[in-house]
């Protein structure tokens, strides 16, 4: 899941970025409204977290402009203003939720996940395929009841595959989803992450294979009985 954070208060921005990254989100963080619009134009975002008081544009203005180009993009407003009017304006402008500062990072994360579930095709919080069960709220994968030890990036990768089993996902799309702009999300990094995930799935006897479609991308399929223990 890739999230754009627009917040001009540096310490606040860093706290949110650190927390969400730790929890497996790819986060692009900017401090100005214009930068938010520029970032949204070149990346495929799953959600935006938007501060209302920005140095250049008003957050509400940014939201309206984002809504023109990305009508479905889930948006959460951060606001220090506790006026009912601001919240109503925000919700009328298409925000899905808002949170009043100061807030707890876990609450922000929970609201973000709730918004993603409500707005996306993520109604289920558990995926299962082959011998794998994946819980999207804890980001844990289990094979035959045993937890598989995955890094947050490997877990994010597995989640992307499990969302569209059997479907080829292009490398571009995976890099977009997994790596924020400032990460060095080279294809080598993606390939290395895929290899590690493959090894862990095999070791856990997950009965799943990540197939490489040369020059295109990857897809996750259930292993046939012959392939299972090879
Ligand atoms: Ca601000």
């Amino acid at each position: 899941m890739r999230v754009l954070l627009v917040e001009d208060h540096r310490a606040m921005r860093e706290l949110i970025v650190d927390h969400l990254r730790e929890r497996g989100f790819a986060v692009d963080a900017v401090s100005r409204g214009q930068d938010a619009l520029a970032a949204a134009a070149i990346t495929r975002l799953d959600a935006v977290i938007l501060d209302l008081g920005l140095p250049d544009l008003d957050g509400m203005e940014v939201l309206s402009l984002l809504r023109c180009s990305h009508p479905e993009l889930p948006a959460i407003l951060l606001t220090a203003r506790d006026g009912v009017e601001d919240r109503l304006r925000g919700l009328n402008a298409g925000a899905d939720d808002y949170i009043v500062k100061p807030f707890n990072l876990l609450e922000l994360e929970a609201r973000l996940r709730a918004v993603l579930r409500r707005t996306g095709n993520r109604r289920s919080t558990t995926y299962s395929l082959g011998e794998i069960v994946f819980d999207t709220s804890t980001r844990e994968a289990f094979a035959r009841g045993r937890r598989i030890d995955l890094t947050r990036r490997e877990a994010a990768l597995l989640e992307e595959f499990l969302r569209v089993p059997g479907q080829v996902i292009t490398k571009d799309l995976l890099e977009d989803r997994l790596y924020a702009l400032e990460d060095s999300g080279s294809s080598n990094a993606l390939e290395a992450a895929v290899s590690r995930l493959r090894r862990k799935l095999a070791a856990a006897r997950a009965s799943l294979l990540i197939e490489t479609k040369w020059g295109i991308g990857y897809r996750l399929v259930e292993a046939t009985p012959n392939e299972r223990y090879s």
Side-chain angles (χ1 to χ4, degrees), residues 148-170:
I148 307 176
D149 189 22
L150 299 175
T151 64
R152 62 190 166 88
R153 190 146 278 162
E154 290 157 6
L157 183 59
L158 180 58
E159 183 175 0
E160 293 298 335
F161 282 129
L162 286 168
R163 288 171 68 187
V164 287
Q167 237 169 277
V168 176
I169 313 180
T170 66

Side-chain angles (χ1 to χ4, degrees), residues 21 153 175 178-191:
R21 285 196 180 146
R153 190 146 278 162
E175 281 166 5
L178 296 183
Y179 301 95
L181 288 175
E182 70 268 34
D183 290 341
S184 52
S186 65
S187 354
N188 286 344
L190 177 63
E191 278 162 27

Side-chain angles (χ1 to χ4, degrees), residues 33 107 110 112 115 119 131 147 177 182 184 196 199 218:
E107 188 187 353
L112 176 61
V115 159
T119 55
E131 297 290 337
R147 188 172 170 281
R177 298 266 181 161
E182 70 268 34
S184 52
R196 285 194 308 272
R199 277 200 299 277
Y218 304 95

Side-chain angles (χ1 to χ4, degrees), residues 6-9 31 51-55 78 80-81 101:
V6 192
E7 166 61 81
D8 59 312
H9 190 284
S31 56
D51 181 31
L52 279 187
L54 295 171
L78 302 182
R81 314 168 195 178
K101 296 177 187 176

Side-chain angles (χ1 to χ4, degrees), residues 57-215:
L57 301 172
D58 181 74
M60 217 72 88
E61 203 178 329
V62 176
L63 179 62
S64 304
L65 291 168
L66 278 176
R67 275 279 166 273
C68 295
S69 52
H70 302 72
E72 309 288 336
L73 183 66
I76 297 181
L77 301 180
L78 302 182
T79 175
R81 314 168 195 178
D82 51 7
V84 174
E85 201 178 309
D86 271 327
R87 293 182 207 170
L88 288 177
R89 268 179 73 211
L91 294 172
N92 285 334
D96 299 279
D97 202 356
Y98 64 86
I99 190 163
V100 177
K101 296 177 187 176
F103 52 82
N104 180 299
L105 288 168
L106 289 171
E107 188 187 353
L108 176 64
E109 181 194 341
R111 283 173 183 247
L112 176 61
R113 291 191 189 282
V115 159
L116 287 167
R117 271 199 303 277
R118 278 208 303 277
T119 55
N121 48 0
R122 331 188 76 242
R123 282 181 184 83
S124 153
T125 52
T126 305
Y127 295 114
S128 58
L129 187 71
E131 297 290 337
I132 288 279
V133 175
F134 185 89
D135 183 332
T136 58
S137 55
T138 60
R139 315 186 66 76
E140 288 179 313
F142 297 86
R144 299 155 193 275
R146 285 198 177 181
R147 188 172 170 281
I148 307 176
D149 189 22
L150 299 175
T151 64
R152 62 190 166 88
R153 190 146 278 162
E154 290 157 6
L157 183 59
L158 180 58
E159 183 175 0
E160 293 298 335
F161 282 129
L162 286 168
R163 288 171 68 187
V164 287
Q167 237 169 277
V168 176
I169 313 180
T170 66
K171 287 186 175 185
D172 280 352
L173 182 60
L174 282 175
E175 281 166 5
D176 236 31
R177 298 266 181 161
L178 296 183
Y179 301 95
L181 288 175
E182 70 268 34
D183 290 341
S184 52
S186 65
S187 354
N188 286 344
L190 177 63
E191 278 162 27
V194 168
S195 304
R196 285 194 308 272
L197 181 58
R198 260 192 195 125
R199 277 200 299 277
K200 289 184 180 181
L201 291 176
R205 295 163 61 200
S207 297
L208 294 178
L209 295 175
I210 301 172
E211 293 180 348
T212 303
K213 298 287 165 189
W214 291 109

